[in-house]
Amino acid sequence: MYTLPSKLKITAIILMVVGLIGLVIGFLDAPDNVEEVKEMMAAQSHHGEEAEHDEATANMNEEGYIETAGRGIKGSDATQEVDHPVAGEGAHEADSEAHYEHLLHQLQTKPWSALFVSAFFFFMIALGALVFYAIQYAAQAGWSPVLFRVIEGITAYLLPGSIIVFLIVIFAGTHFFPWQNEELVAEDKILQLKSGYLNFPFFLIRAIIYVLGWNLYRFFARKYSDRQEEVAANDYRPYRKLFKASVGFLVFFIITESLMSWDWFMSMTPHWYSTLFAWYIFASLFVSAITVIAMVTVYLKKGGYIPFVNDSHLHDLAKFMFAFSIFWTYLWFGQFMLIWYANIPEEVTYFTMRIENYNLLFFGMLILNFVFPILLLMNSDYKRVPLFVLIAGTIILIGHYIDIFLLVMPSTVGPNWYFGLPEFGGLLFFLGLFIIVVGSGLGKLKLLPKNNPFLKESEHYHY
Amino acid sequence: MSSHYEAPIREPLVTGDKSYHDVSVEIAAPIEGRANKSWWIVFSIALVAFLWGLGCIIYTVSTGIGVWGLNKTIGWAWDITNFVWWVGIGHAGTLISAVLLLFRQKWRMAVNRSAEAMTIFAVVQAGLFPIIHMGRPWLAYWVLPIPNQFGSLWVNFNSPLLWDVFAISTYLSVSLVFWWTGLLPDFAMIRDRATKPFQKKIYTLLSFGWSGRVKDWQRFEEVSLVLAGLATPLVLSVHTIVSFDFATSVVPGWHSTIFPPYFVAGAIFSGFAMVQTLLLIMRKVVNLEDYITVLHIEYMNKVIILTGGIVSVAYITEFFIGWYSGSPYENYTYLSWGAATGPYWWAFWALITCNFIVPLSLWVKKLRRNIMWTFVVALIINTGMWFERFNIIVVDLSHGRTPSSWAMFSPTFVDIGVFIGTIGFFFVLFLLYARTFPVIAQAEVKTILKSSGEKYKKLRAEHGDE
């Protein structure tokens, strides 16, 4: 039996407290009105020279175009703005006023986005682990049953994690989802067209279905896997039920995951669309989850809690980390290259924003998510060394945090991003929560699942 | 690699009371025996179809592309449809031999050899189309970046059609090498059994002096694993590049980011359907029912369910995003309301029925273990996947951005003749293969006989498995 060491527990609590403080400060620091934004801007830039100001406004206009085309902030007809550039001093003033208004909105959104990035990052690890678990059952894998309890422990975070994410997307309102702004929709033909799908009641219902469905599977998976321990040997009825539930869950998941990605991420820029988007998010979710499974396995193995897990199991997990890092890159490239190649204005805005304002992060994550894993985990021997798995795992997790950061931030706060107190606070808070929930989740389980039909194969597994 | 222990819950992969010797004898039998009458009949039909197709190709090349049904709006139709269809079929072979090897699926061992053969022969058919659909195929060598006397005029590396050249040729060569290395121990077995001097000589040449030493086997396995590791990204990238032919364009319906993984899933889907079509007949004709069991068929049907499911999600995505984009041009793409009700409605509904509705029946365990039904579904999927490519290409092109250039397409007998010719050619090759090559990787099957053979599983059940 595993118990979360008190030292780790206290560390996690400290992380949560510090993180919470960071988040609260982030929310308090956000400006309340346009005047405050102007003060903040004045404090930041001590110039005030007219020429520079003009240049800044010109840049803002360009940003405005990218924003408008992708996100639909100021109405649908983005090209109109470009065709009729601001003429005269009066229009200039009005435009800069609108810009401050826009800036205010982005700065108010910033703590929300920081909260969401971290909340979703840790939630998706639990969800991805659940998918991995279901796949292992559906595929009747012979190597992994000794890891089932470890995975079940990680998925303990699904319930709190999914509720938090659910509450954030429901209450974020126009901070994340411009299509929830009725005034905006009234003057935007494209958003009106989409309102059959993008409307709040339907959005809410869908979110409830996803969260409910995922948690139900996790509930029944735990139930059946416990029952399998209680029944007589060679009675595999609970196992068969779990097998069927897993197959059903996978079908449910592939559909709800697509809808979730469109709802919670793609509709942040409601004018933009990409058919691959949902699968791309899946790749990120899946590889992060496998990485965490591997890292938790290494941790428990080191503590001596799972003596039945050997380095062949670790080798397999590391292979999955390696393979799905490449798979993620494949989808990243597929989406990016096709949009870059065709260069259709309404699509390319998504990447223009990211390359212009997030250049280092955008291309840097490729090194973290692709180059490092491929080099570190190519060698078969390295995949059996816990230290290598931990190093590669840490890099992969940082890379995919950045990936989620890049899904959200450019769409919500635009160019006004920095990695500050709320972002850091969110990360620490959810890390602490994740450690506590997963730790106590593991504490409730017997780490060796008895009676699983493939358990013996798994215990004797050697590659 | 894997231990000899196997969970009793797993069904046996080799049925009957087989010894190692039985495996050799039964797999060598078709090679050592003589072809029967029905083989000659089928072979003649395939040969005639091939020769007819060859005639159509010669006619096209010598007269001009105008003998096909293409028009100014629809510049690609049956040619590229067939190309993508054949490449897609080829993908299952690599999936079975490479991806399933990486996932340590023992059941692949009974089907990998024929699936790889199918890959090679399908890619050969596919490879014809990029050449013969050219207006000036005799200048085809210009696609290669060879230093030349035009001031070293080179190709433009920005075109997915050029990437196709590299993708397909690499795919064919790697598949061929992978297949052949796997064949070495099997050719050696035939060589060692051969009694006729001519046959002995041929298989001596083919088996490259394989003697089956420990060191050889060690390296053999290492090479297989490395090739499988290379072939897996290759198989994904090849059909991805084929999908780029469409997705990099700005044609409504073609420009879609989901194409790369969706084409790959579709390729595996259609490829497995073709493997089913071929193996269901082969196991019967060559008496291999003990090796290609109902369990194998069920497993392949499960792969079909999985990839068919992925393809269906992609259909839904395409349909949804087509609507969601709000672009009026997206209203006549191959998966849209316009396509479902427009002049190509029959092609749309053929696609939905064949690829989405009919394969759903495989969710029923009884049906996916039913050999006749599997065969029917496999044929339907092959048809459906042809329609998928036809729809993507022709339906999307027929109603482009400018209404004044909207057009319909109807094939001529030459279009159809060339397609029939490739089917004939494929079967000519496959039938010859089935008579001269060991159609099951006997060396590999022997490695699982004691862990997964019915006889040994029974022994373990009686005497305990310690």
Side-chain angles (χ1 to χ4, degrees):
Chain A
M1 282 304 253
Y2 170 78
T3 39
L4 188 62
S6 54
K7 226 179 184 176
L8 192 59
K9 199 169 190 174
I10 290 168
T11 316
I13 292 173
I14 293 172
L15 287 177
M16 283 179 70
V17 172
V18 174
L20 202 60
I21 294 171
L23 279 169
V24 170
I25 293 176
F27 274 98
L28 293 178
D29 259 6
D32 290 327
N33 50 45
V34 175
E35 298 312 313
E36 278 182 40
V37 176
K38 284 181 180 167
E39 274 170 39
M40 280 168 80
M41 290 294 112
Q44 264 178 30
S45 54
H46 296 284
H47 53 76
E49 285 165 43
E50 200 54 31
E52 271 186 59
H53 181 74
D54 273 351
E55 201 181 312
T57 332
N59 285 340
M60 285 166 193
N61 277 338
E62 200 180 316
E63 277 160 19
Y65 170 69
I66 291 166
E67 284 282 316
T68 314
R71 199 163 144 77
I73 296 294
K74 299 177 210 160
S76 67
D77 216 349
T79 41
Q80 205 179 0
E81 258 181 64
V82 176
D83 287 346
H84 305 283
V86 189
E89 195 58 28
H92 190 118
E93 281 295 307
D95 195 66
S96 113
E97 204 57 36
H99 171 72
Y100 280 118
E101 193 80 35
H102 181 52
L103 201 58
L104 168 71
H105 190 258
Q106 287 187 331
L107 291 176
Q108 283 177 338
T109 300
K110 200 169 166 292
W112 278 93
S113 306
L115 182 68
F116 183 53
V117 170
S118 297
F120 186 81
F121 178 71
F122 286 97
F123 154 72
M124 81 173 184
I125 289 170
L127 182 61
L130 194 67
V131 177
F132 189 72
Y133 181 81
I135 290 175
Q136 297 304 309
Y137 263 98
Q140 302 181 324
W143 67 279
S144 53
V146 292
L147 298 171
F148 281 173
R149 292 285 185 261
V150 178
I151 306 176
E152 284 173 12
I154 294 168
T155 58
Y157 183 76
L158 185 76
L159 186 64
S162 60
I163 291 173
I164 293 168
V165 167
F166 174 80
L167 292 177
I168 295 172
V169 293
I170 293 305
F171 288 107
T174 53
H175 287 307
F176 288 171
F177 308 113
W179 52 267
Q180 291 185 4
N181 182 346
E182 280 169 25
E183 287 169 35
L184 184 69
V185 176
E187 60 187 42
D188 188 325
K189 275 191 196 131
I190 295 179
L191 292 189
Q192 284 162 19
L193 271 173
K194 296 182 185 192
S195 63
Y197 183 78
L198 294 180
N199 61 71
F200 188 72
F202 192 25
F203 179 82
L204 179 67
I205 292 168
R206 288 195 303 264
I208 291 172
I209 292 173
Y210 315 150
V211 171
L212 206 63
W214 301 332
N215 280 298
L216 272 178
Y217 169 68
R218 143 89 191 163
F219 173 78
F220 281 108
R222 281 289 305 126
K223 193 175 143 190
Y224 292 141
S225 87
D226 273 349
R227 193 175 291 165
Q228 183 62 53
E229 301 222 329
E230 292 155 11
V231 296
N234 294 331
D235 177 5
Y236 294 134
R237 273 174 301 175
Y239 161 77
R240 284 185 215 283
K241 276 186 187 158
L242 184 42
F243 172 84
K244 283 191 177 155
S246 302
V247 174
F249 167 71
L250 288 173
V251 174
F252 178 78
F253 174 77
I254 190 174
I255 296 166
T256 48
E257 196 271 339
S258 296
L259 293 170
M260 173 207 78
S261 310
W262 302 334
D263 283 1
W264 298 354
F265 293 97
M266 206 159 85
S267 82
M268 284 177 171
T269 47
H271 281 194
W272 182 81
Y273 49 87
S274 165
T275 40
L276 184 63
F277 195 67
W279 296 3
Y280 170 72
I281 290 182
F282 167 73
S284 204
L285 167 161
F286 200 54
V287 71
S288 311
I290 294 168
T291 305
V292 170
I293 294 170
M295 291 169 88
V296 173
T297 305
V298 168
Y299 166 78
L300 290 175
K301 173 84 184 160
K302 193 150 182 298
Y305 298 104
I306 43 174
F308 39 85
V309 172
N310 59 39
D311 65 347
S312 290
H313 296 105
L314 189 63
H315 184 208
D316 270 17
L317 284 171
K319 269 190 274 188
F320 272 109
M321 287 162 63
F322 173 77
F324 279 94
S325 289
I326 298 173
F327 182 69
W328 174 88
T329 314
Y330 164 65
L331 294 185
W332 178 89
F333 178 76
Q335 179 166 266
F336 173 72
M337 193 280 272
L338 289 175
I339 290 174
W340 169 81
Y341 194 108
N343 203 20
I344 298 175
E346 65 254 39
E347 285 183 11
V348 84
T349 49
Y350 186 82
F351 287 114
T352 311
M353 164 61 89
R354 277 155 180 80
I355 291 172
E356 283 184 357
N357 296 303
Y358 295 77
N359 197 290
L360 182 66
L361 286 185
F362 186 71
F363 292 108
M365 79 170 166
L366 278 181
I367 296 174
L368 299 177
N369 288 343
F370 177 60
V371 180
F372 273 116
I374 205 173
L375 293 178
L376 282 172
L377 296 175
M378 176 79 87
N379 189 314
S380 187
D381 295 333
Y382 291 179
K383 288 195 274 267
R384 296 172 186 274
V385 181
L387 186 65
F388 267 95
V389 175
L390 286 182
I391 293 172
T394 312
I395 291 169
I396 291 173
L397 288 179
I398 294 172
H400 286 281
Y401 173 83
I402 294 175
D403 190 20
I404 302 302
F405 190 83
L406 285 173
L407 284 176
V408 176
M409 288 295 176
S411 305
T412 55
V413 303
N416 303 300
W417 71 279
Y418 55 89
F419 196 82
L421 215 48
E423 284 80 4
F424 200 59
L427 194 57
L428 294 185
F429 176 79
F430 286 104
L431 179 64
L433 186 66
F434 189 80
I435 292 172
I436 287 182
V437 174
V438 171
S440 60
L442 285 167
K444 286 179 199 147
L445 307 165
K446 278 172 256 162
L447 290 174
L448 181 67
K450 277 192 305 183
N451 259 345
N452 182 297
F454 299 109
L455 187 66
K456 197 173 163 194
E457 265 188 35
S458 181
E459 281 177 304
H460 292 142
Y461 172 63
H462 182 75
Y463 184 77
Chain B
M1 196 170 151
S2 53
S3 72
H4 278 293
Y5 174 76
E6 193 176 271
I9 196 173
R10 294 195 195 275
E11 285 177 58
L13 291 170
V14 182
T15 55
D17 194 13
K18 298 277 184 255
S19 66
Y20 287 144
H21 183 63
D22 296 334
V23 177
S24 303
V25 171
E26 284 170 24
I27 289 168
I31 305 168
E32 291 164 352
R34 295 183 69 85
N36 60 14
K37 209 163 121 195
S38 40
W39 187 87
W40 281 109
I41 293 171
V42 179
F43 182 75
S44 312
I45 296 171
L47 192 66
V48 169
F50 168 44
L51 292 175
W52 170 248
L54 198 62
C56 287
I57 289 173
I58 293 168
Y59 176 56
T60 307
V61 173
S62 56
T63 312
I65 281 295
V67 300
W68 290 358
L70 302 174
N71 52 51
K72 277 191 194 167
T73 298
I74 299 169
W76 277 353
W78 276 52
D79 46 355
I80 300 300
T81 300
N82 299 335
F83 163 69
V84 181
W85 189 72
W86 277 119
V87 180
I89 282 172
H91 275 53
T94 319
L95 187 99
I96 288 171
S97 53
V99 179
L100 296 185
L101 177 73
L102 296 183
F103 281 109
R104 299 189 294 263
Q105 297 296 308
K106 290 177 179 173
W107 61 272
R108 61 174 260 286
M109 290 173 180
V111 292
N112 59 355
R113 174 66 42 73
S114 297
E116 287 167 45
M118 184 195 75
T119 294
I120 312 267
F121 304 147
V123 174
V124 167
Q125 308 314 319
L128 286 173
F129 287 100
I131 311 272
I132 61 171
H133 91 307
M134 288 180 175
R136 297 177 186 83
W138 47 90
L139 296 181
Y141 69 97
W142 283 14
V143 303
L144 302 173
I146 309 168
N148 54 54
Q149 290 168 317
F150 298 103
S152 222
L153 181 68
W154 267 33
V155 284
N156 184 339
F157 286 96
N158 292 341
S159 166
L161 299 183
L162 183 68
W163 309 339
D164 266 344
V165 174
F166 301 125
I168 302 292
S169 52
T170 311
Y171 187 48
L172 181 63
S173 16
V174 172
S175 303
L176 201 60
V177 171
F178 197 10
W179 188 48
W180 206 274
T181 45
L183 274 161
L184 294 178
D186 290 12
F187 279 146
M189 184 269 280
I190 307 286
R191 170 199 67 197
D192 297 343
R193 290 176 54 88
T195 45
K196 290 173 236 159
F198 178 69
Q199 208 179 26
K200 190 141 199 132
K201 180 136 203 163
I202 294 289
Y203 287 99
T204 305
L205 280 173
L206 294 180
S207 60
F208 293 179
W210 177 267
S211 57
R213 296 173 308 155
V214 173
K215 204 74 199 170
D216 295 347
W217 278 113
Q218 212 175 30
R219 287 174 181 147
F220 176 88
E221 297 222 330
E222 195 88 348
V223 165
S224 309
L225 214 51
V226 169
L227 278 178
L230 289 174
T232 304
L234 186 64
V235 75
L236 259 80
S237 66
V238 168
H239 221 66
T240 292
I241 286 171
V242 170
S243 83
F244 284 168
D245 294 349
F246 312 102
T248 51
S249 75
V250 292
V251 175
W254 280 11
H255 180 70
S256 172
T257 49
I258 209 171
F259 269 27
Y262 151 57
F263 266 52
V264 174
I268 297 163
F269 182 53
S270 70
F272 263 82
M274 192 57 130
V275 177
Q276 294 276 35
T277 320
L278 297 173
L279 288 188
L280 287 176
I281 295 175
M282 189 148 98
R283 70 193 279 277
K284 190 94 194 145
V285 175
V286 200
N287 298 318
L288 294 173
E289 281 113 326
D290 281 335
Y291 303 97
I292 303 168
T293 65
V294 176
L295 183 66
H296 289 85
I297 294 164
E298 189 186 9
Y299 280 151
M300 288 197 275
N301 275 333
K302 283 184 177 176
V303 177
I304 289 178
I305 295 174
L306 173 70
T307 48
I310 294 173
V311 171
S312 304
V313 172
Y315 290 164
I316 297 166
T317 305
E318 284 278 349
F319 200 93
F320 174 77
I321 300 286
W323 168 82
Y324 181 87
S325 73
S327 159
Y329 301 116
E330 293 281 336
N331 201 24
Y332 203 86
T333 58
Y334 72 107
L335 279 170
S336 61
W337 185 246
T341 54
Y344 280 112
W345 62 269
W346 45 273
F348 175 91
W349 290 107
L351 164 79
I352 298 295
T353 315
C354 298
N355 291 350
F356 180 58
I357 296 171
V358 174
L360 284 179
S361 65
L362 295 178
W363 280 93
V364 181
K365 186 167 182 157
K366 251 205 171 106
L367 289 176
R368 72 170 175 263
R369 287 183 83 105
N370 181 316
I371 293 168
M372 267 319 287
W373 182 245
T374 300
F375 189 71
V376 172
V377 172
L379 281 180
I380 290 176
I381 292 171
N382 280 322
T383 318
M385 285 307 291
W386 190 88
F387 270 107
E388 183 196 295
R389 278 67 179 251
F390 177 80
N391 288 7
I392 290 175
I393 294 169
V394 175
V395 176
D396 286 343
L397 285 177
S398 68
H399 279 45
R401 285 198 159 84
T402 319
S404 62
S405 59
W406 284 1
M408 291 292 285
F409 170 83
S410 55
T412 64
F413 79 93
V414 193
D415 282 300
I416 300 167
V418 172
F419 181 45
I420 289 173
T422 55
I423 293 174
F425 192 14
F426 176 81
F427 278 102
V428 164
L429 293 171
F430 198 82
L431 286 165
L432 287 173
Y433 149 82
R435 296 232 30 87
T436 48
F437 280 50
V439 292
I440 284 181
Q442 53 89 23
E444 294 201 56
V445 169
K446 284 173 184 169
T447 65
I448 59 161
L449 191 63
K450 286 191 173 165
S451 61
S452 312
E454 191 180 20
K455 176 179 154 191
Y456 293 93
K457 284 186 90 84
K458 249 186 218 150
L459 280 174
R460 270 206 301 276
E462 281 163 22
H463 301 288
D465 50 22
E466 294 307 323

